[in-house]
Every structure is written in C-alpha cells, then in structure tokens.
Amino acid sequence: MPRVLVVGLDCAPPSLVFERWREHVPNVAALMERGTWGPLRSCIPPITVPAWTCMVSGRDPGELGLYGFRNRVAGSYEMRLPTSRDVRVKRVWDWLGEHGRRVAPLFVPLTWPPTPVRGQMASCFLTPGPDTDWTFPRGLRPRLTQAHGEYLVDVPGFRTDEPERVLESLYAMGRQHFAMARDVWNDARPDLLMMVEMGPDRFHHAFWHHVDPAHPRYEPGNRWEEEGRRYYAFLDARVGELVEDAGDDTAVLIVSDHGARAMVGGVAINEWLRRTGWLAHDSGRVDWSRTRAWGEGGYYARVWLNVAGREPEGVVPPERFEEERARLAAALGAMEGPDGAPLANRVVRPEDVYRETRGVPPDLMVFFGDLAWRSVGTLGGALFTEGDDAGPDGCNHDWDGIFVMAGPGAPARGRTDGLAIYDVARTISSLAGVPAPPDLLGTDLLA
C-alpha cells in the first residue's frame, strides 16, 4: 500500500488556492491537475477546534462534545480551552497504528498534551510553550529542538496593528514546521504523516482586509496588498519540498479545516440580549436572577437559556424551555443590521445537525449574516462593532476549506463538488489499506 502524506493548511480558502492565487501555488496546482480536488465543506461550526478533530475522527462536534475554541464547563457559566484529554474517540492515526502502520501526526489540533501513538507526535498550537513535553516520545523533543531550534508553537498576538512582526513570525514558523515534518518523514519513514500549519489562519486574521478587494476596509494600493500572494507562494514551495521528499510511492492530500471571508463587523450578542429583554445586568455584571439567556463571542454565537435546575442560578422553568427557545430563535433570525435590513442570520439547534450532543452544547448556534459578522461577547456599548473583542481582525471563517488528493491509489477525477470534512478520515484509511470504523460519518473518496 502507498504511504500517505497529509498537509493541512489551516483556514486556506478555495477562493485563493483554486482561483485567485492558483498560478502562485504551482506545486499544489500540479497535484490538482493529476488528482481530485474541490471545496471541502467544514463542520458546524467551521472552527479549528473542533474541525480538525472532526476531519481525523469522522465524528461531528456534538459527538465530540467540542463546540468551539472554548467549551463550557458543566454546572457553571465558565468556559475553558479543550485539550487532547477531551478527545474521547480514536483518530485515524490510532486505528492505523492498531493495524501495524507507523504514524506521525505533527501539530494537528487537538494534540496537546501529546498522546501515545505507534510512531511520533508533535503537539499543536495549544501547547503552552516550547519548554513543555510537546512530543511523543519525549526523546523526539530534544532531537527536533537541536536540529531546528526552539519550537515555534504559534504566532503570538496575531490580532494586532503590528503586521511586520506577524509576517516575520509567520515565515519563521512555517520554515520550522515544514523542516521538522521533512525531518520526521525522512528519519522515521512513517506510513502516515499528517502536519497542520496554522500560519494561513493567522495571516488571514491579520491581513485579510489588506488583500481582499471585497472587504469594506480594503484600500487599493496599500503596502500589504501583495503579501498574501507572496506568503502563499512561500507555503507552496514548502509543500513542494515535502512532496518531493515523499516520492512517487506516496499519496498526497492537501486539506484545510475551513475557509476565510471578509468580516463586515461584530455583533455584541449579550448587548442585543440585554436590549431585547433576555439578559439583565447590574453595575456591569450579569444579574442571573433576572436573566433568561446569555451568549458567548467567537466566530459564531453560542446562546444558552438560563434554565432552572440546569444552570447554577437558572430561572427559566424546564417545562417552558422549548417555548422560550423557539421565541429566542425567531427573534435572532429576524435581527436587523445597522442599516435596518435583515442580517440573514443562520440559527441552528444542535440536535438538528448532530448525531449526539455530548458535553455542554449551546441551546442555539447563531451565525450572524451566515458568517459575515463575528459574535462579540461584551456587554454594554455599541451593538455593532467594526472588529471583534479579541483585537484587530480582518476576516471571519467560512464554510468551505480545500481538498486536493493525488498519487498512487488516488483517482484522478479533477474538480469534484460535494466533498465534506468527514470524508477525509475514511479516505486516508482506504489509501493506507486499513478498514475504518463502520460508524463514521463521511464517504471513502476512493470508492
């Protein structure tokens, strides 16, 4: 069976890779020309956490109990970052390892802290720092550090007004991560190597309004206008080096977990709930005794009803939950934007889109303007904002990422529509000649 190489480019959108900058990514374009490619529909929600875990497990966010970058702590109003300990299902490298294949997942969310695998692992962007034990086995860390320098976990402070610093970090991180991947590939000779580079996501948040003419804050001729083309050409060159190392006996996949789009602005979800009578506050603090619903900021809004017996200070009677939720969903769906026109929000009940709802799912998931706007969690002040509450930002996530597959065992179908993030795990298994668990979502694209 062929070896398998998977290169993940977090947040890489079809509009750039397949269209606008295709001539600047000749190595990816060459794979497209001899393989199968197309937009890859992300999960709901299209967020790094949980999307990569959906991709490599074939499970939806509800089954995983992962609903966003942070997840709610049961029995409280608090949120926390997830870790690999929250992933309670096997991922593709686990079942390949069980069938005797050697694997090397590198920098794939969620892999902090690293878990035992039949091979090597380097943990993801959630790693607290380079001084932690970020590899399995532990002995891999000093070897990689000696060869490639201190682990560059992520781009610090990428939501910033310091674009020069962000660019410097992006290139340094990309060079190191691809060099580490080549090192592991050539030294350990795994049957599956999967790496994820977070750089594109960080670039988009920092530079999208400089490179996208459709962005409301775009200024023609700005000094950063060509940086996107240059950065994608840089990434493509690193992909080309890794693919060349992989050789003709390796099947190659280039994937992203979601896309990117211009962010028009932010919607202060809790301020909207306050103005519409769902949330009460006193001296800047939420008055839970008079609050029926609250929300969280992020790429989309997670909204919960304050249910008696479920929340610490719940007030909504459980028997009225469905009635109240329906009223709130209708109001959110009818929300008007700053110009008085409907925002065209997408309002989703988790149980309608997931096979299970583990952990603490939101009662409603709200995609403002179907992702044209970000959810801002602040209370008080303006209802609509130019950016978000995490710092300067030019983009929001979008529903479609990218999928490119070529090499031995991979069909050459050209552009293929209807691909989904859940197809990837089954397809990797098929390429490796290992049966996938029968209850996964998705389709084997080799079938």
Side-chain angles (χ1 to χ4, degrees):
M1 301 304 297
R3 299 165 73 195
V4 183
L5 169 65
V6 183
V7 178
L9 302 175
D10 194 280
C11 196
S15 62
L16 299 185
V17 178
F18 297 160
E19 299 171 21
R20 185 178 172 196
W21 292 335
R22 180 168 175 169
E23 65 180 297
H24 302 294
V25 291
N27 292 294
V28 174
L31 295 169
M32 294 165 60
E33 290 168 6
R34 62 186 178 92
T36 296
W37 60 276
L40 188 73
R41 193 67 167 181
S42 189
C43 61
I44 302 173
I47 297 177
T48 297
V49 178
W52 286 110
T53 307
C54 292
M55 182 187 292
V56 297
S57 71
R59 313 288 179 176
D60 67 43
E63 293 175 277
L64 297 170
L66 300 170
Y67 302 99
F69 187 71
R70 297 181 302 153
N71 289 276
R72 191 173 156 204
V73 178
S76 78
Y77 297 108
E78 301 301 317
M79 307 286 285
R80 70 169 178 83
L81 290 172
T83 72
S84 63
R85 299 184 183 96
D86 295 296
V87 182
R88 296 183 174 90
V89 299
K90 292 179 180 179
R91 290 174 277 189
V92 61
W93 50 76
D94 296 315
W95 64 75
L96 262 62
E98 290 172 353
H99 283 80
R101 305 297 197 270
R102 295 193 59 80
V103 298
L106 308 177
F107 329 122
V108 183
L110 292 163
T111 52
W112 168 259
T115 57
V117 294
R118 193 173 189 272
Q120 294 78 33
M121 174 183 285
S123 61
C124 66
F125 76 108
L126 294 173
T127 303
D131 295 330
T132 59
D133 289 323
W134 52 272
T135 66
F136 177 87
R138 288 185 177 183
L140 179 62
R141 171 191 160 197
R143 192 181 76 74
L144 291 180
T145 300
Q146 182 177 14
H148 306 287
E150 185 177 85
Y151 179 28
L152 302 175
V153 176
D154 198 356
V155 176
F158 57 89
R159 289 186 172 94
T160 179
D161 290 321
E162 300 176 310
E164 296 97 335
R165 178 183 60 77
V166 172
L167 278 177
E168 182 179 349
S169 294
L170 282 167
Y171 283 100
M173 185 174 74
R175 281 191 292 268
Q176 184 194 68
H177 290 183
F178 276 93
M180 286 181 173
R182 293 179 68 190
D183 187 334
V184 172
W185 178 268
N186 291 314
D187 179 70
R189 307 297 294 173
D191 298 294
L192 165 68
L193 185 145
M194 179 175 182
M195 69 162 290
V196 171
E197 177 57 24
M198 289 297 297
D201 179 271
R202 285 26 183 157
F203 178 88
H204 297 154
H205 286 297
F207 290 92
W208 193 267
H209 55 298
H210 295 304
V211 303
D212 179 10
H215 197 286
R217 291 189 280 129
Y218 171 79
E219 296 180 4
N222 74 82
R223 63 175 293 195
W224 310 107
E225 193 166 26
E226 298 301 317
E227 292 301 333
R229 174 185 59 78
R230 295 190 185 104
Y231 177 62
Y232 268 76
F234 161 81
L235 290 173
D236 181 76
R238 305 289 80 73
V239 169
E241 293 166 351
L242 188 52
V243 170
E244 184 175 1
D245 284 356
D248 295 335
D249 64 341
T250 301
V252 178
L253 281 71
I254 312 294
V255 294
S256 66
D257 54 334
H258 54 75
R261 59 168 298 165
M263 184 178 72
V264 177
V267 179
I269 178 61
N270 286 315
E271 179 62 15
W272 180 88
L273 290 167
R274 184 193 69 81
R275 295 187 187 189
T276 52
W278 291 90
L279 183 149
H281 75 116
D282 182 26
S283 301
R285 298 174 65 87
V286 175
D287 181 353
W288 295 108
S289 69
R290 296 186 294 123
T291 290
R292 292 178 295 151
W294 84 100
E296 289 288 337
Y299 300 105
Y300 79 112
R302 279 177 279 181
V303 179
W304 286 273
L305 292 172
N306 194 27
V307 180
R310 190 184 72 175
E311 274 68 44
E313 301 178 56
V315 296
V316 175
E319 65 271 15
R320 293 186 56 193
F321 170 79
E322 290 296 352
E323 174 190 348
E324 291 287 276
R325 181 166 68 159
R327 288 181 57 241
L328 181 54
L332 287 163
M335 183 187 295
E336 295 180 348
D339 60 357
L343 274 182
N345 296 338
R346 181 178 179 183
V347 184
V348 176
R349 301 189 313 169
E351 65 268 31
D352 292 337
V353 294
Y354 301 144
R355 296 195 293 187
E356 296 182 58
T357 52
R358 296 176 175 169
V360 188
D363 294 323
L364 292 171
M365 309 165 73
V366 188
F367 303 90
F368 294 121
D370 202 22
L371 292 173
W373 298 73
R374 182 181 171 94
S375 175
V376 176
T378 52
L379 180 60
L383 181 57
F384 298 100
T385 66
E386 182 178 278
D388 65 47
D389 48 353
D393 202 336
C395 90
N396 204 15
H397 292 178
D398 207 358
W399 292 108
D400 288 339
I402 63 168
F403 178 88
V404 180
M405 176 176 63
R413 299 192 179 110
R415 178 174 176 122
T416 303
D417 293 311
L419 304 175
I421 198 168
Y422 303 107
D423 301 338
V424 176
R426 283 192 180 275
T427 301
I428 292 173
S429 289
S430 185
L431 285 167
V434 170
D439 59 341
L440 301 188
L441 290 163
T443 300
D444 174 7
L445 298 179
L446 274 60

